[in-house]
């Protein structure tokens, strides 16, 4: 066995993405050499234990494969366990109960519009048309409890099936339980170092580090796992790798924090690139417009904000005026906030805040990121806003609510939105690096494409590590649909691969 041979041309990303040239000499194009003896043999190796990785592992095992799922951190779940949204799925039973008409075609149209014409349409179709089945699989097969219908900016309708008082752990937990029930081995503190290929360039296994202690590069012991049918890479994005994200977008330096868990450094993606996997749209890195500078990491404010848009309003504290469509997509809102040069303030009346999970408000008030004010004068004083200007903005927003039409920014106003008056809740907002739109190039079968535009046999990718599925902007909660849909596709195809 030999390491993968690399195309000697510069390895540039696909579909117009800003690419990382891997050097025409091929010096960086290396995987690991196959060992004389493998330490372990499985049918399918899955790298990553978030939504995509666990979905792939469960699906591969359901197809009868012997599966090993590895996680480099000490606990499973990756970024998925931190997510605060839900699963976007047109036609889910929560939508039906609410009398909302939706379709895969409408979800696809929303994805393509948000993606700015840069999405891989065929891959986007896989997500849009597979989302309802992913929801049913999560609900009926895994036992995930969805109890609230949520709206996310950029969607035409409310279609996000959410967990009222929880986060991604409400889904990772049932996935981990199911994986254990059906015999999937999930091993933590196990890091992918390199992929191993045969003389034809097919992936046949991986070089791992067992007992790895993040971020100590010299920790743990090396081992080699033979994957008879394939390797599924589901290791997430690289939002915490400041050097790598600045390579693709120099603006995203250390001055911007990330919502991601510390291990989101792109190890698995780079391992695939070393054997010739193509990158796509790597410079499209999404910021979350709903994070607060008054709390760390992902925090609780995102759920407060996404439950408030369409009900409350966002203002620039320097002027007291609205400055953006609050229900616009993430890029629209993030860019607008950053353009002001300082945090924004979102406020919503206590009556309209009934759409916010009570646990979110409680947690935000406890950590100081969400505050309650008896009136607008009190709110304006606390945030240093000119009170009369703020009142004028609130009155104009209330006029829009009565008319059910926003003449200023065309924000979506829901049928049950009430006028904002009386007691208010509010929080400050400043974007954080949230999601890598770019990643490994894949086809609709979740097969990874190399720099010669051919499939790398035996290598699959799903979730944030895969690029091009959404284009320049990902809609909220569509990532969970993407992870589950493509995770299952990858696991199924890896398990069924003929060898």
């Amino acid at each position: 066995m030999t390491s993968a041979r690399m195309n000697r041309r510069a390895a540039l990303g696909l579909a117009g993405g800003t690419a990382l040239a891997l050097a025409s000499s091929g010096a960086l194009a290396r995987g690991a050499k196959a060992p004389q003896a493998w330490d372990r043999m499985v049918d399918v190796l899955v790298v990553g234990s978030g939504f995509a990785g666990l979905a792939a592992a469960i699906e591969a095992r359901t197809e009868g494969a012997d599966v090993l799922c590895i996680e480099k951190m000490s606990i499973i779940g990756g970024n998925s366990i931190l997510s605060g949204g839900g699963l976007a799925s047109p036609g889910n039973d929560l939508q039906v109960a609410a009398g909302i008409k939706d379709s895969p075609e409408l979800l696809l149209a929303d994805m393509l519009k948000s993606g700015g014409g840069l999405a891989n349409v065929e891959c986007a179709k896989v997500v849009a048309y597979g989302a309802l089945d992913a929801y049913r699989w999560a609900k009926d097969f895994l036992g995930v409890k969805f109890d609230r219908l949520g709206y996310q900016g950029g969607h035409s309708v409310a279609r996000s099936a959410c967990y009222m008082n929880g986060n991604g752990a409400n889904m990772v937990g049932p996935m981990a339980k199911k994986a254990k029930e059906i015999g999937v081995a999930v091993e933590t503190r196990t890091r992918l170092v390199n992929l191993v290929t045969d003389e034809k360039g097919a992936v046949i296994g991986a070089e791992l580090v067992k007992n790895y202690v993040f971020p100590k590069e010299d920790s743990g012991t090396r081992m080699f796992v033979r994957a008879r049918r394939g390797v599924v890479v589901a290791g997430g994005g690289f939002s915490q790798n400041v050097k790598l994200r600045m390579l693709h977008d120099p603006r995203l330096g250390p001055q911007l924090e990330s919502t991601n868990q510390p291990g989101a450094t792109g190890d698995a993606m780079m391992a695939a690139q070393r054997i010739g996997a193509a990158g796509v749209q790597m410079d499209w890195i999404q910021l979350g417009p709903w994070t607060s500078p008054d709390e760390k990491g992902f925090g609780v404010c995102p759920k407060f904000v996404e439950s408030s848009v369409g009900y409350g309003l966002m203002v620039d504290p320097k002027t007291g005026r609205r400055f953006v469509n609050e229900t616009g997509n993430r890029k629209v809102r993030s860019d607008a906030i950053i353009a002001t040069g300082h945090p924004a303030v979102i406020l919503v009346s206590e009556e309209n805040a009934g759409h916010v999970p009570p646990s979110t408000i409680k947690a935000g008030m406890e950590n100081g990121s969400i505050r309650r004010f008896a009136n607008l004068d009190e709110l304006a004083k606390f945030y240093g806003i000119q009170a009369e200007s703020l009142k004028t903005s609130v009155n104009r927003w209330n006029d829009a609510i009565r008319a059910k039409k926003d003449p200023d920014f065309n924000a979506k106003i829901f049928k049950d939105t009430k006028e904002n008056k009386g007691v208010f809740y509010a929080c400050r907002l400043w974007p954080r690096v949230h999601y890598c739109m770019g990643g490994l190039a894949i086809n609709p079968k979740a097969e990874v494409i190399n720099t010669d535009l051919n499939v790398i046999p035996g290598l699959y990718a799903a979730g944030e590590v895969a690029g091009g599925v959404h284009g320049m902007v990902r809609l909220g909660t569509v990532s969970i649909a993407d992870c589950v849909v493509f995770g299952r596709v990858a696991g199924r195809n890896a398990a069924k691969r003929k060898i």
Side-chain angles (χ1 to χ4, degrees):
M1 306 294 184
T2 62
S3 61
R5 295 173 295 171
M6 176 67 177
N7 184 328
R8 289 187 178 274
R9 294 174 298 166
L12 299 177
L14 298 176
T18 299
L20 169 62
L22 295 182
S24 59
S25 67
L28 294 180
R30 61 185 186 278
K33 293 183 178 180
Q36 292 185 350
W38 297 90
D39 297 295
R40 187 168 178 176
M41 299 189 74
V42 296
D43 291 326
V44 176
L45 172 66
V46 178
V47 181
S49 67
F51 294 141
L54 289 175
I58 292 168
E59 193 72 12
R61 181 61 185 145
T62 302
E63 292 292 337
D66 176 26
V67 181
L68 169 62
C69 178
I70 62 170
E71 167 60 53
K72 76 174 184 181
M73 304 303 280
S74 59
I75 60 173
I76 67 168
N79 285 331
S80 297
I81 207 166
L82 302 175
S83 67
L87 197 160
S89 50
N92 67 69
D93 49 9
L94 295 169
Q95 263 193 330
V96 172
I100 296 174
K101 294 183 179 180
D102 197 7
S103 67
E105 291 80 10
L106 185 56
L107 172 56
L108 178 62
D110 288 346
M111 291 174 66
L112 298 182
K113 179 181 179 181
S114 178
L118 298 182
N120 180 320
V121 178
E122 295 307 310
C123 286
K125 284 181 179 178
V126 173
V127 176
Y129 285 89
L132 181 57
D133 184 58
Y135 166 78
R136 290 170 174 163
W137 180 79
K139 178 175 175 287
D140 299 332
F141 181 64
L142 300 179
V144 178
K145 304 296 184 183
F146 298 101
D147 54 12
R148 179 175 66 93
L149 186 64
Y151 173 81
Q152 300 274 322
H155 288 269
S156 292
V157 296
R159 59 165 63 100
S160 303
C162 305
Y163 350 89
M164 173 66 83
N165 294 318
N167 53 29
N170 291 54
M171 189 159 163
V172 169
M175 295 182 94
K177 180 180 179 182
K178 179 62 69 173
K180 184 177 181 179
E181 286 176 359
I182 63 177
V184 173
V186 181
E187 299 182 1
T188 59
R189 293 177 57 196
T190 304
R191 179 189 180 193
L192 172 66
V193 177
N194 284 302
L195 294 167
V196 180
T197 58
D198 63 17
E199 67 280 358
K200 295 181 179 180
V203 172
I204 60 171
E207 177 186 11
L208 310 178
V209 171
K210 188 73 175 172
N211 298 319
Y212 171 69
V213 179
F214 177 85
K216 298 179 179 179
E217 295 296 316
D218 58 350
S219 62
T221 56
R222 301 279 168 141
M223 65 177 292
F224 287 84
V225 172
R226 174 79 164 93
R228 289 181 287 257
R229 296 192 177 276
V231 174
V232 177
V233 176
F238 55 93
S239 290
Q240 288 283 19
N241 190 328
V242 176
K243 185 180 293 185
L244 182 56
R245 76 191 194 203
M246 287 186 69
L247 178 66
H248 296 292
D249 189 340
R251 298 170 298 176
L252 305 183
Q255 82 280 6
L256 286 175
E257 297 180 7
S258 173
T259 62
N260 290 194
Q261 54 93 13
T265 53
D267 295 10
M269 180 192 72
M270 290 188 286
Q273 288 181 312
R274 283 195 292 274
I275 65 161
V280 57
Q281 298 169 350
M282 301 285 284
D283 54 343
W284 285 101
I285 300 173
Q286 186 181 88
L287 305 182
W290 19 242
T291 50
S292 173
D294 300 319
E295 61 180 350
K296 295 292 186 181
F298 190 81
V300 298
C301 282
K303 185 170 284 191
F304 171 78
V305 174
E306 293 301 80
S307 298
S308 299
V309 296
Y311 297 97
L313 64 157
M314 190 191 308
V315 299
D316 180 343
K318 295 292 185 182
T319 64
R321 298 174 181 172
R322 292 176 64 216
F323 61 97
V324 69
N325 175 356
E326 291 89 345
T327 59
N329 68 44
R330 292 173 173 182
K331 180 172 175 55
V332 167
R333 289 182 284 166
S334 293
D335 288 351
I337 295 171
I338 289 178
T340 70
H342 48 258
V345 173
I346 188 168
L347 58 150
V348 62
S349 67
E350 188 169 48
E351 183 177 21
N352 281 318
H355 296 277
V356 182
S359 61
T360 298
I361 292 179
K362 181 176 182 292
M365 291 186 68
E366 288 177 350
N367 71 18
S369 60
I370 298 173
R371 294 185 177 271
R372 185 177 185 272
F373 302 96
N375 51 55
L376 286 176
D377 286 309
E378 188 177 289
L379 187 154
K381 181 178 180 180
F382 182 83
Y383 290 113
I385 306 172
Q386 208 283 323
E388 291 307 312
S389 179
L390 177 62
K391 290 176 182 178
T392 298
S393 295
V394 172
N395 288 337
R396 185 164 177 80
W397 176 241
N398 284 338
D399 288 341
I401 290 171
R402 286 189 290 270
K404 296 302 181 202
K405 182 175 178 59
D406 172 21
D408 298 322
F409 298 99
N410 198 34
K412 186 180 291 294
I413 299 172
F414 299 107
K415 292 180 180 179
D416 60 345
T417 304
K418 305 293 192 303
E419 292 182 39
N420 285 272
K421 56 186 177 181
V423 175
F424 280 81
Y425 289 100
C427 72
R428 295 198 308 155
L429 303 177
W430 184 252
R432 289 192 174 109
V433 178
H434 180 60
Y435 195 92
C436 298
M437 305 305 304
L440 302 177
I442 63 170
N443 63 20
K445 296 180 181 179
E447 297 170 314
V448 176
I449 308 300
N450 68 16
T451 54
D452 281 328
L453 310 186
N454 296 315
V455 167
I456 299 177
L459 184 60
Y460 304 83
E464 190 178 353
V465 74
V469 177
H470 304 273
M472 70 179 190
V473 176
R474 172 183 68 74
L475 293 173
T477 71
V478 178
S479 65
I480 301 180
D482 175 13
C483 286
V484 176
V485 170
F486 264 112
R488 295 179 69 198
V489 169
R492 184 183 314 121
N493 288 336
K496 289 183 174 182
R497 178 172 169 254
K498 295 180 180 180
I499 54 175

